[in-house]
Amino acid sequence: MTLQATRPAAVLPARGVPRDELLRTVFERRADDAPWREGRIFSLVYHPGSPELEELLAAVSREYLAENALNPRRFPSLARMEREAADIVAGLLHGTPGAGGLTSGGTESIFLAVYVAREVARGRGIASPRIVTGRTAHPAFAKACHLLGVRQERVPVRADRRVDVEALAAAVDEDTILVVASAPNYPYGVVDDVPAVAAVARDAGILCHVDACLGGLLLPFWERIGEPVAPWDFRVEGVTSISADIHKYGYSFKGASALLWRDPAHYRAQWWVDDDVWGGGLYGSSTTAGTRPAPPIAGAWAALHGLGEEGYLRLARSVRDARDRLLAGLAGIADLAPTVAPDLSVLEIGSSELDLGAVADALEERRWWLDRQPGGLHLMLSPYHREVVDDLLAALRAAVDDVRAGRVSRGVPAAYAAVP
Ligand SMILES: Cc1ncc(COP(=O)(O)O)c(C=O)c1O
């Protein structure tokens, strides 16, 4: 891929653009953006279908447009929001209050989990640390390992797409400092066998991170509405850290994940502290960024308080309803089926007969943007999808008919995120 060189370079306008004109430009340019409010996309937006919540988040973030979370002494209200948000998520996951904080998202939480593991490894004299994950672990682990000079061994998953724990155990050696389980993994939406992965870590005396970026704010409520949930959180002995994104099923806007530790000492190891040699005074920072935007912290705190337990339970029921109706409808479409039964609300639809790239093209003609991955079509259901699931099923049936009749041929390849 080459960087696009043909577009004219943008330049700073000589005079400020009047507000109305500027906003008109914004609205015009958004014409090609995916219409997420209509529930026609998946995974990039977690749509609760609540104008009241959106209004609340906008109001609270407006209050914190200028504040900086770098210095908690200057903005104690913000520091308190971060502590309270992290404690609330820790409480939901049966974790340790005070042993975690917020980051900008799942990728940063994972980066910091690998960073702390590397520091622990160094403390033990391991010069070339490595981590062991399933093949289905999110690419954020590979990225973190690359940036931190840590090796990653990716072991296979079983037919049910859960990590093969025997292979994982066999891959652990004296340089291994961390093993990983997903709750659930992104591609197939199934939760790894966390107790078995954590037992491997315990036996080896190493760390075990559960990547619950996706499920961390849904699984606690999934359990309370009576859905089967296998043990996955801090109730499982041997789990040492969990990442749980508030900007996913916590329904705050982007920029908020919780990284939680069982042991407060591991949280302390996450902090970079620089003395005053540089001339600017003591510098302490818990994340990769220095200056940290305040709105995502205020937004995360507001979403948790604005929805409360009752709100999250209601939204979990909506997600379940969308999932159940989607699965029931899919069962009536020949040649389409979930690759494996999803544990929550995330799934891959596969087919042994149909070209699913062509089905995705036919769906896009009908203004439905399903995510494409090598094994099929990926769906991440939000509460709002409950309102549109019947329309989606009708579009799927029509798209399959188009492909069977040879009216569409395959176009765009599978991609999770763009490259330049
Ligand atoms: C399982 C899992 N882990 C980590 C991430 C990374 O989160 P983010 O995109 O917020 O950095 C995702 C994103 O979808 C995910 O599904």
Side-chain angles (χ1 to χ4, degrees), residues 105-107 110 138 184-186 211 213-214 245 247-248 416:
T107 300
I110 287 168
H138 191 274
N185 64 38
Y186 172 91
D211 173 11
C213 287
L214 239 187
D245 291 359
H247 68 199
K248 291 191 170 74
Y416 172 80

